[in-house]
């Protein structure tokens, strides 16, 4: 839930300071500001011209015939031409200012997303982040910019109208100064109420839609568990509250107009009464008919802008709040720390291609909020070219161990080294270049097969893509796709079967041709036929590389050079398959158990905030 706007003004820096912080994003397009301000100024200044035209028309046009017939009509057309032009120019200029600002803000946010510490992704969901970067920035900017447009236009209008009123009759203007704010206040209160109710009913509508959506997505589960009745009740509660809110909104909006008209009538009558008494008064300070009509006209014209001015802080704070949620992302989310050498600009002394020797010494990892460490006292040496399997019950820390290598997770204590160099000393990208990863959850971009296989490559080598697909046992299927390797896969490649997606992920790993291959339950979720194809592909991928393989099905790792058995964050035994079977420990027990389905992991990618 986003925090309500302007909920705690005391806790926030003053409005002006908050606005000033945003200024740099919107200050690039200087010409736009000049145009916008000039045009708004003109719009405001032309406002009193309308009643001002009425005065000569009434005083002279109809009665004494001193005006030429074409003058007033021509002036009206001219006036509206100028106003129209000015309004167009100001709106356009502000839209440009908003648009340019939005591009800058979004770009920064997206860059931050790409480089953020991985803990961001366990704190915020994909849809929250998408919402902030795409929608909130948009609403915030639009609201803020149009609030400023209104502020300027209404401000100028009120000043111009008041000046004209004073020029016509300053005594009457004093009365107007009391009455107009009253009317404006009523209108403002009503419209606030209306806004609140509208917002509430929007939320309720969203929730209602959400219930429908959930029940569509989970239709099988709802039926299977006989949960229909509860869901219907849930729907009823929301639906009824929505009806109540709709009525409340109608009450607020239906009452506004009559109430305002009543107050306006009172105001008008007061002015008329005073004007009449002045006209007949002994002072002889009379008001002409034209002057009176112009005065009333200008007075009524004051109401709308005054009302908007009384409420101007609201859209500004709302826009600010939305934009600031975006900026908070910039403030709070730290980019991933790179090696100190990179920060200094010094050339890092790491090989372009590692041999693939991995060493962990007394490594400890504790996730924030977890009582027991995920890994503790881990000592493990994987020689270049060796295939080491990690096995153990779900939650024993296997994924965490693998995530330490490309620094998706940092060790709280101990040392993790690749080719004898601490991973913290490797420049981040150089380090990550050394690993290819295939995990249980395959993620594909909404792009072509070729682009997905060659992810991150500067240019796509099509022949190599083809070779990798062949090695991954996927070439035959890709050949049946409408555009072959140029077929766009759609969101996360859902049209492919689990086994095909898995083999595509292997093709991607093959294309990367990194010295170290990490396989995290790559074959767990597959049926036997897919598993055979995937297993073949995996075996090809492992050739000539250091491989760390986590497998749920122990049958798939029997030929590993070494099997490391983990339990509750510790290594409890290691050796070859025959050795471990003979030892009769945890491995032998796991092996004899009938195979349970792979546990769905709550922390699929294992990159939450750790304490170290
Ligand atoms: P495995 O891969 O062997 O199933 P994991 O490395 O995924 O085990 O998890 C080891 C322990 O760390 C588990 O207790 C798990 O709950 C915890 N854990 C894993 N990832 C996170 C995370 N992102 N945040 C908090 N705890 C986590
Ligand atoms: Mg795991």
């Amino acid at each position: 839930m986003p925090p309500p706007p302007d909920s705690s003004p005391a806790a926030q820096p003053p409005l002006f300071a908050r606005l000033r912080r945003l200024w740099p994003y919107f200050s690039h397009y200087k010409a736009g500001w000049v145009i916008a301000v000039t045009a708004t100024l003109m719009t405001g200044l032309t406002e009193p011209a309308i009643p001002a035209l009425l005065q000569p028309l009434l005083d002279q046009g109809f009665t004494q015939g001193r005006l030429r017939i074409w003058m007033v009509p021509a002036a009206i057309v001219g006036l509206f031409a100028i106003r129209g032009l000015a309004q167009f120019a100001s709106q356009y200029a502000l839209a440009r200012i908003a648009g340019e600002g939005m591009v800058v803000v979004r770009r920064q946010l997206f860059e931050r997303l790409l480089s953020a510490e991985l803990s961001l992704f366990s704190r915020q969901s994909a849809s929250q982040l998408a919402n902030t970067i795409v929608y909130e920035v948009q609403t915030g900017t639009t609201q803020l910019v149009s609030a400023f447009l209104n502020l300027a236009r209404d401000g100028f209008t009120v000043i111009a109208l008041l000046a004209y009123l004073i020029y016509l009759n300053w005594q009457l203007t004093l009365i107007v100064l009391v009455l107009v704010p009253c009317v404006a206040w009523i209108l403002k209160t009503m419209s606030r109420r209306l806004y609140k109710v509208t917002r509430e009913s929007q939320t309720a509508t969203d929730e209602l839609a959400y219930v429908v959506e959930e029940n569509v997505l989970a239709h099988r589960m709802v039926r299977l568990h006989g949960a229909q009745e509860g869901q219907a009740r849930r729907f009823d509660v929301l639906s009824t509250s929505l009806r109540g809110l709709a009525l409340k909104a109608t009450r607020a909006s239906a009452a506004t107009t009559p109430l305002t008209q009543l107050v306006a009538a009172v105001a008008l009558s007061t002015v008329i009464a005073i004007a009449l008494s002045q006209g007949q008064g002994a002072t002889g300070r009379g008001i002409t008919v034209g002057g009176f009509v112009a005065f009333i006209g200008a007075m009524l014209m004051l109401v709308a802008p005054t009302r908007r001015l009384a409420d101007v802080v609201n859209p500004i704070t709302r826009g600010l709040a939305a934009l600031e949620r975006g900026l908070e992302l910039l403030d709070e989310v730290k980019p991933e720390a790179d090696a100190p050498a990179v920060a200094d600009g010094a050339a890092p002394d790491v090989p372009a291609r590692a041999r693939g020797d991995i060493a962990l010494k007394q490594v400890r990892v504790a996730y924030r909020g977890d009582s027991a460490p995920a890994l503790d006292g881990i000592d493990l040496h994987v020689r270049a070219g060796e295939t080491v399997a990690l096995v153990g019950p779900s939650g024993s820390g296997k994924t965490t161990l693998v995530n330490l290598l490309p620094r998706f997770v940092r060790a709280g204590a101990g040392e993790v080294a690749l080719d004898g160099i601490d991973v913290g000393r490797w420049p981040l990208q150089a380090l990550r270049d050394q690993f290819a990863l295939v995990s249980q959850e395959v993620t594909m971009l909404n792009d072509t097969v070729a682009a997905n296989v060659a992810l991150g490559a500067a240019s796509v080598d099509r022949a190599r893509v083809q070779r990798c697909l062949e090695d991954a046992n996927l070439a035959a299927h890709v050949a049946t796709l409408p555009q072959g390797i140029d077929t766009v896969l759609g969101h996360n490649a859902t049209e492919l079967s689990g086994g095909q997606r898995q083999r595509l992920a292997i093709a991607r790993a093959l294309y990367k041709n990194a010295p170290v291959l990490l396989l995290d339950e790559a074959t767990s979720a597959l049926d036997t036929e897919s598993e055979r194809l995937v297993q073949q592909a995996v075996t090809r991928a492992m050739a000539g590389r250091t491989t760390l393989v986590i497998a749920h099905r122990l049958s798939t790792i029997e030929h590993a050079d070494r099997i490391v058995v983990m339990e509750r964050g510790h290594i409890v035994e290691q050796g070859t398959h025959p050795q471990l079977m003979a030892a009769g420990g945890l491995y032998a027990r796991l092996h004899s158990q009938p195979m349970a389905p792979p546990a769905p992991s709550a922390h699929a990618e294992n990159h939450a905030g750790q304490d170290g």
Side-chain angles (χ1 to χ4, degrees):
M1 275 289 276
D6 63 348
S7 54
S8 55
Q12 286 175 335
L15 194 59
F16 184 69
R18 292 163 68 197
L19 287 173
R20 204 170 51 190
R21 140 131 224 237
L22 286 174
W23 172 245
Y25 294 104
F26 297 94
S27 62
H28 296 287
Y29 184 47
K30 295 255 163 34
W33 282 106
V34 175
I35 296 173
V37 172
T38 323
T40 334
L41 194 64
M42 269 170 59
T43 319
L45 290 180
T46 50
E47 201 91 351
I50 300 160
L53 276 172
L54 288 175
Q55 189 188 8
L57 186 70
L58 291 173
D59 284 350
Q60 303 156 33
F62 290 128
T63 51
Q64 288 150 21
R66 263 190 261 145
L67 278 178
R68 298 209 190 284
I69 289 175
W70 56 267
M71 273 177 152
V72 171
I76 289 177
V77 172
L79 186 68
F80 276 87
I82 295 174
R83 277 173 65 86
L85 200 69
Q87 268 169 6
F88 179 86
S90 70
Q91 276 197 15
Y92 185 80
L94 276 161
R96 275 264 327 245
I97 294 168
E100 311 255 319
M102 205 136 64
V103 168
V104 180
V105 177
R106 275 201 184 131
R107 179 64 206 258
Q108 282 197 7
L109 286 173
F110 192 64
E111 260 167 31
R112 183 53 56 95
L113 182 76
L114 291 178
S115 68
E117 268 185 350
L118 301 180
S119 62
L120 170 70
F121 303 103
S122 54
R123 273 188 285 124
Q124 296 212 25
S125 71
S127 63
Q128 270 176 323
L129 288 169
N131 190 39
T132 308
I133 297 176
V134 178
Y135 300 109
E136 300 227 33
V137 166
Q138 171 130 11
T139 2
T141 311
T142 319
Q143 267 178 352
L144 206 56
V145 166
S146 68
F148 278 111
L149 174 69
N150 290 340
L151 175 64
R153 196 193 49 218
D154 294 336
F156 289 141
T157 306
V158 166
I159 292 170
L161 284 173
L162 275 179
Y164 178 62
L165 286 177
I166 291 171
Y167 160 77
L168 281 177
N169 186 324
W170 66 267
Q171 289 127 316
L172 276 185
T173 308
L174 285 181
I175 299 176
V176 170
L177 281 180
V178 177
L179 287 174
V180 166
C182 288
V183 179
W185 182 81
I186 293 179
L187 285 175
K188 177 189 131 168
T189 316
M190 300 301 277
S191 76
R192 262 205 187 171
R193 233 186 113 85
L194 194 61
Y195 171 73
K196 216 181 111 220
V197 181
T198 316
R199 269 249 306 228
E200 278 170 11
S201 65
Q202 257 162 20
T203 317
T205 313
D206 285 351
E207 278 171 25
L208 198 65
Y210 190 60
V211 173
V212 175
E213 195 182 313
E214 271 182 353
N215 276 282
V216 171
L217 291 177
H219 62 275
R220 284 195 299 186
M221 281 304 131
V222 169
R223 270 150 235 244
L224 199 62
H225 290 248
Q228 290 98 327
E229 211 177 295
Q231 293 301 309
R233 262 202 308 281
R234 203 173 143 213
F235 188 84
D236 281 344
V237 169
L238 285 169
S239 186
T240 320
S241 90
L242 193 57
R243 183 198 55 194
L245 285 169
L247 288 179
K248 226 168 151 182
T250 310
R251 279 204 298 277
S253 77
T256 307
T257 315
L259 208 67
T260 329
Q261 283 176 350
L262 191 68
V263 178
V266 172
L268 201 60
S269 313
T270 317
V271 171
I272 292 174
I274 293 173
L276 284 179
S277 72
Q278 262 194 359
Q280 295 156 354
T283 51
R285 181 144 183 8
I287 300 178
T288 63
V289 175
F292 180 71
V293 171
F295 191 93
I296 298 289
M299 181 184 96
L300 293 179
M301 285 169 76
L302 261 181
V303 174
T306 316
R307 190 199 100 190
R308 283 195 296 263
L309 281 180
D311 224 6
V312 74
V313 177
N314 223 354
I316 292 184
T317 29
R318 251 181 287 144
L320 260 179
L323 263 183
E324 280 173 345
R325 268 194 289 286
L327 295 183
E328 263 163 34
L329 208 60
L330 286 183
D331 289 343
E332 284 177 10
V333 177
K334 286 195 272 326
E336 285 182 290
D338 210 331
V342 177
D344 295 347
D349 54 345
V350 295
R353 186 178 174 88
R355 284 176 291 115
D357 179 283
I358 295 164
L360 282 77
K361 287 197 196 101
Q362 285 301 307
V363 170
R364 180 191 153 92
V365 175
Y367 291 102
R368 207 185 296 136
D370 284 5
S371 48
L375 290 178
D376 201 7
I378 296 289
D379 279 308
L380 180 66
H381 182 203
V382 181
R383 285 177 298 277
E386 199 182 6
T387 296
V388 169
L390 298 175
V391 304
S394 162
S396 54
K398 306 178 296 289
T399 301
T400 303
L401 195 156
V402 161
N403 277 337
L404 279 167
L405 303 174
R407 264 169 65 190
F408 290 151
V409 162
R410 307 286 307 261
E415 196 185 294
V416 180
L418 174 65
D419 279 17
I421 305 168
D422 192 287
V423 290
R425 282 188 41 227
W426 280 78
L428 205 49
Q429 201 52 57
L431 175 71
R432 290 180 177 169
D433 285 345
Q434 312 304 325
F435 299 97
L437 170 69
V438 182
S439 65
Q440 187 176 349
E441 304 83 16
V442 175
T443 41
M444 290 291 154
L445 305 180
N446 185 8
D447 207 335
T448 62
V449 173
N452 268 296
V453 170
L455 180 67
S459 66
V460 179
D461 177 345
R462 299 173 62 86
R464 184 160 150 200
V465 168
Q466 193 57 43
R467 269 201 312 283
C468 293
L469 286 171
E470 267 152 32
D471 286 345
N473 274 344
L474 196 62
H477 178 73
V478 170
T480 66
L481 295 177
Q483 275 99 39
I485 65 167
D486 295 315
T487 310
V488 174
L489 288 171
H491 284 288
N492 209 9
T494 31
E495 282 142 54
L496 300 182
S497 74
Q500 289 162 347
R501 285 153 54 86
Q502 208 59 265
R503 280 175 274 152
L504 191 59
I506 292 168
R508 177 189 277 173
L510 284 166
Y511 189 97
K512 189 172 182 187
N513 189 24
V516 184
L517 179 62
L518 306 172
L519 300 165
D520 189 351
E521 313 218 12
T523 57
S524 299
L526 304 177
D527 53 78
T528 330
E529 169 61 12
S530 303
E531 184 174 337
R532 196 181 52 80
L533 290 171
V534 172
Q535 196 57 52
Q536 264 182 9
V538 162
T539 313
R540 281 180 208 136
M542 286 173 9
R545 291 172 225 278
T546 309
T547 307
L548 269 176
V549 50
I550 301 176
H552 184 72
R553 282 172 226 204
L554 300 186
S555 58
T556 57
I557 45 101
E558 282 171 10
H559 303 294
D561 298 326
R562 188 155 40 119
I563 297 168
V564 172
V565 186
M566 296 183 64
E567 189 179 29
R568 289 199 210 91
H570 300 280
I571 294 176
V572 289
E573 44 182 4
Q574 48 182 308
T576 60
H577 173 72
Q579 286 168 349
L580 290 172
M581 287 308 279
L586 178 60
Y587 181 79
R589 280 206 305 285
L590 287 172
H591 209 271
S592 63
Q593 268 170 17
M595 200 188 56
S601 109
H603 310 285
E605 301 282 337
N606 256 336
H607 37 48
Q610 318 140 245
D611 66 356

